[in-house]
Amino acid sequence: MDRSRLAINQITTPSWSLKDAIDNYAKLDIAGIGIWRDKLTELGTAKTRQMLDATGLFVPSLCKTGDIAKLDIIGKNAALDDCRKAIDEAAEIGAPVVVFVGGGCGTRSLTDARKRVGEVLSQASEHARTVGVDIGLEPFHPMHAAERGCINTLSQACELRQEIGNEVAVILDVFHCWWDPALTSHLEKATQLGVASAHLCDWRVPTRDPVMDRAMPGDGAADISGFIRQLEVSGYNGPYEFEIFSADWAARDPIEVVHICLERYDRYCQEV
Amino acid sequence: MDRSRLAINQITTPSWSLKDAIDNYAKLDIAGIGIWRDKLTELGTAKTRQMLDATGLFVPSLCKTGDIAKLDIIGKNAALDDCRKAIDEAAEIGAPVVVFVGGGCGTRSLTDARKRVGEVLSQASEHARTVGVDIGLEPFHPMHAAERGCINTLSQACELRQEIGNEVAVILDVFHCWWDPALTSHLEKATQLGVASAHLCDWRVPTRDPVMDRAMPGDGAADISGFIRQLEVSGYNGPYEFEIFSADWAARDPIEVVHICLERYDRYCQEV
């Protein structure tokens, strides 16, 4: 596998502005950049698109929409409106997918929260089809079910994809799914249905914070080689996107971090 | 449902000695007590059995054995030896089940850790059969896969029970399984195979510590009524054991804590 499938999500080098991230990733032989919507406002979609075109970087996905419980507090259909807006922004910068995160159930019904995710996905899928952008549903680790994401397994994501249609794709993240005993048996089906991006990171031992303590692939408990091999065997040919939410890695020199991502990509992806 | 199925695991009132816990639970109309092996050494098995017989308290389960990764560091077969010892202790105090916790995989292979759990369970099951005590396999929340328990779903526990035999029972804990989208569909099968105890607690929002921050049933995100109703519909007729690992609840007056357990049992179990 050459480096054409290697992307870094900009959350991995959060001290860089979007402009600096695009410039530096391109200089450092990174093929793609995962972009965050709050960072996108620094440049706006038109200027960002120009920079992407000029550097040749691809965008595996735009992060993020969803968070239904939070957005629904703002007003009726706020989550749906945000999802449509994110789809438009993705189209404007040439990203094929917008990352959709379910949001937690809080102390309310988990079953209802999951139903609401299905409703919003279904309602947003029409706009996604019109615009030509997929909604990338990312199952979240079960420990996030109450606070961040109520869709917790690849199996659930595949079911929603089948219910709703082609506009829903799956985004797989090592941190969220490495523990899942049903992962292997669902990968082939998921790949056939559409896996938009594979997020690489690792499960740090111990994990000291539920969000900001992920490890670099190879430094944690997950079977990174096995994950990539299984994806490839299942027919996956999409991007591998380094997404390291980590206070430790955020504090390091971003150029060094990018070099380590490159080294890990070569270690785990080139052998496949 | 009357109070004959109500037990409290002594970790819920950790400031009490085993003697005080047995005395106070009995006085306060609690039918059963979940006992920990480190606490058991305070009295020894014979004296504990005497006190249990005198008060009429039943023991839903003795906690705990397993922790294979940790015990294997001590020496070959240390985990198996500990499991056999725990089975003997359970028999001596009249507990029908010893709680088995897989232990984490650390940064080594999760797949191998899971296989090793199966091996130890299988090897220990012979002794369990001879002695007449079941091994209660407790699936642990996926966030514990690396550090505490590598069996993470009811489905996995059922598979191991089917592979190994009748001596393996399942222990279900709200904290560990409330998020599982496959829980409902596996409950009937699990109950047929044998659910030894149902641990009641709740998922606190936010959960500030992976171990010591569980909520009292009704105070968190889990659907306690639904959990109990589904268990009953599936044919479960075993104990409901309050097991609240919590620094907050541990700091409260244990008599007050027991009264709150009683009140929650009445609220959620009597309506069924």
Side-chain angles (χ1 to χ4, degrees):
Chain A
M1 202 188 298
D2 65 25
R3 288 184 177 172
S4 65
R5 295 167 69 184
L6 164 58
I8 297 181
N9 186 296
Q10 69 171 139
I11 205 76
T12 305
T13 55
S15 63
W16 275 339
S17 66
L18 177 55
K19 182 181 178 306
D20 287 346
I22 293 174
D23 277 339
N24 285 307
Y25 289 2
K27 268 184 220 156
L28 294 164
D29 199 24
I30 307 300
I33 177 170
I35 292 181
W36 282 70
R37 291 171 70 200
D38 56 340
K39 294 276 193 178
L40 189 56
T41 60
E42 294 168 8
L43 296 176
T45 54
K47 176 75 187 149
T48 300
R49 179 70 175 258
Q50 271 179 11
M51 280 199 71
L52 291 167
D53 288 345
T55 55
L57 282 180
F58 77 89
V59 181
S61 54
L62 177 65
C63 300
K64 64 181 175 70
T65 184
D67 278 329
I68 291 173
K70 270 185 207 160
L71 285 166
D72 277 357
I73 291 170
I74 303 169
K76 191 171 174 338
N77 289 329
L80 178 59
D81 292 343
D82 186 72
C83 189
R84 287 178 177 143
K85 188 161 179 284
I87 288 166
D88 290 336
E89 290 168 9
E92 285 161 26
I93 63 169
V97 181
V98 59
V99 176
F100 185 99
V101 167
C105 63
T107 54
R108 301 174 67 183
S109 162
L110 179 59
T111 307
D112 289 351
R114 287 170 171 168
K115 272 188 204 148
R116 182 85 180 100
V117 167
E119 286 165 13
V120 172
L121 276 176
S122 178
Q123 290 166 321
S125 66
E126 201 176 321
H127 189 61
R129 185 164 51 249
T130 309
V131 174
V133 165
D134 284 347
I135 308 172
L137 176 58
E138 183 170 355
F140 259 40
H141 194 286
M143 75 176 171
H144 291 320
E147 292 174 77
R148 290 168 198 91
C150 61
I151 305 300
N152 305 109
T153 63
L154 177 57
S155 169
Q156 278 181 297
C158 287
E159 276 173 33
L160 282 164
R161 157 66 185 75
Q162 287 186 295
E163 267 173 50
I164 295 163
N166 290 339
E167 296 75 28
V168 175
V170 173
I171 294 194
L172 265 185
D173 184 298
V174 173
F175 179 88
H176 293 310
C177 68
W178 75 280
W179 62 272
D180 187 353
L183 188 68
T184 309
S185 63
H186 283 85
L187 262 186
E188 195 169 343
K189 184 180 170 191
T191 307
Q192 282 164 7
L193 292 170
V195 173
S197 187
H199 290 179
L200 296 185
C201 52
D202 209 333
W203 180 273
R204 194 183 182 285
V205 183
T207 288
R208 301 160 299 181
D209 181 272
V211 178
M212 288 301 290
D213 198 27
R214 301 191 191 177
M216 188 61 72
D219 294 347
D223 176 11
I224 305 295
S225 291
F227 180 75
I228 293 169
R229 196 170 48 243
Q230 284 167 29
L231 268 167
E232 294 297 308
V233 167
S234 76
Y236 178 69
N237 59 8
Y240 287 101
E241 181 178 349
F242 283 73
E243 188 188 50
I244 321 288
F245 285 85
S246 160
D248 285 354
W249 285 96
R252 290 173 73 156
D253 171 17
I255 289 180
E256 184 196 11
V257 174
V258 171
H259 279 297
I260 294 170
C261 291
L262 270 166
E263 179 260 313
R264 300 300 165 98
Y265 179 87
D266 290 347
R267 183 193 302 177
Y268 290 109
C269 294
Q270 289 202 344
E271 73 181 34
V272 176
Chain B
M1 204 189 297
D2 65 25
R3 288 183 177 172
S4 65
R5 294 166 69 184
L6 165 58
I8 297 182
N9 187 295
Q10 69 171 139
I11 206 76
T12 306
T13 56
S15 62
W16 276 339
S17 66
L18 177 55
K19 183 182 177 306
D20 287 346
I22 294 174
D23 277 340
N24 284 307
Y25 289 2
K27 268 184 217 153
L28 294 165
D29 200 24
I30 306 302
I33 177 170
I35 292 180
W36 282 69
R37 291 171 70 200
D38 56 339
K39 294 277 193 176
L40 190 55
T41 60
E42 293 169 8
L43 295 175
T45 54
K47 176 74 187 155
T48 301
R49 179 69 175 258
Q50 272 179 9
M51 279 198 73
L52 291 167
D53 288 345
T55 54
L57 283 179
F58 77 91
V59 181
S61 54
L62 177 65
C63 300
K64 65 182 174 61
T65 184
D67 279 328
I68 291 173
K70 272 185 206 160
L71 285 166
D72 277 356
I73 292 171
I74 303 170
K76 190 170 175 336
N77 289 330
L80 179 59
D81 293 342
D82 186 73
C83 190
R84 288 179 178 143
K85 188 161 179 280
I87 288 166
D88 290 335
E89 291 169 8
E92 285 161 27
I93 63 168
V97 181
V98 59
V99 176
F100 185 99
V101 168
C105 63
T107 54
R108 301 175 67 184
S109 162
L110 179 59
T111 307
D112 289 350
R114 286 170 172 168
K115 273 187 205 149
R116 182 85 181 100
V117 166
E119 286 165 12
V120 173
L121 276 175
S122 179
Q123 291 166 319
S125 66
E126 201 176 320
H127 189 61
R129 186 165 51 248
T130 308
V131 174
V133 164
D134 285 346
I135 308 171
L137 176 58
E138 184 170 355
F140 259 40
H141 194 286
M143 75 176 170
H144 291 320
E147 292 175 77
R148 289 168 199 89
C150 62
I151 306 300
N152 304 109
T153 62
L154 177 57
S155 168
Q156 279 181 296
C158 286
E159 275 172 34
L160 282 164
R161 157 66 185 77
Q162 287 187 295
E163 267 173 51
I164 295 163
N166 290 338
E167 296 74 29
V168 176
V170 173
I171 295 195
L172 265 184
D173 184 300
V174 172
F175 180 87
H176 293 310
C177 68
W178 74 281
W179 61 273
D180 188 352
L183 188 68
T184 309
S185 63
H186 282 85
L187 263 186
E188 195 169 342
K189 184 179 170 192
T191 307
Q192 282 164 6
L193 293 170
V195 173
S197 187
H199 289 179
L200 296 185
C201 53
D202 210 332
W203 181 274
R204 195 182 181 284
V205 183
T207 288
R208 300 159 299 180
D209 181 272
V211 177
M212 288 303 289
D213 199 27
R214 302 191 190 177
M216 188 61 72
D219 294 346
D223 176 11
I224 305 294
S225 292
F227 179 75
I228 294 169
R229 195 170 48 244
Q230 284 167 30
L231 267 168
E232 294 297 309
V233 167
S234 76
Y236 178 69
N237 59 10
Y240 288 102
E241 182 179 348
F242 284 73
E243 188 187 51
I244 322 288
F245 286 84
S246 160
D248 285 354
W249 285 96
R252 290 174 72 157
D253 171 16
I255 290 180
E256 184 196 11
V257 174
V258 172
H259 279 298
I260 294 170
C261 291
L262 271 167
E263 179 259 315
R264 299 298 165 97
Y265 180 87
D266 290 347
R267 184 194 300 176
Y268 291 109
C269 294
Q270 289 203 342
E271 73 181 33
V272 177

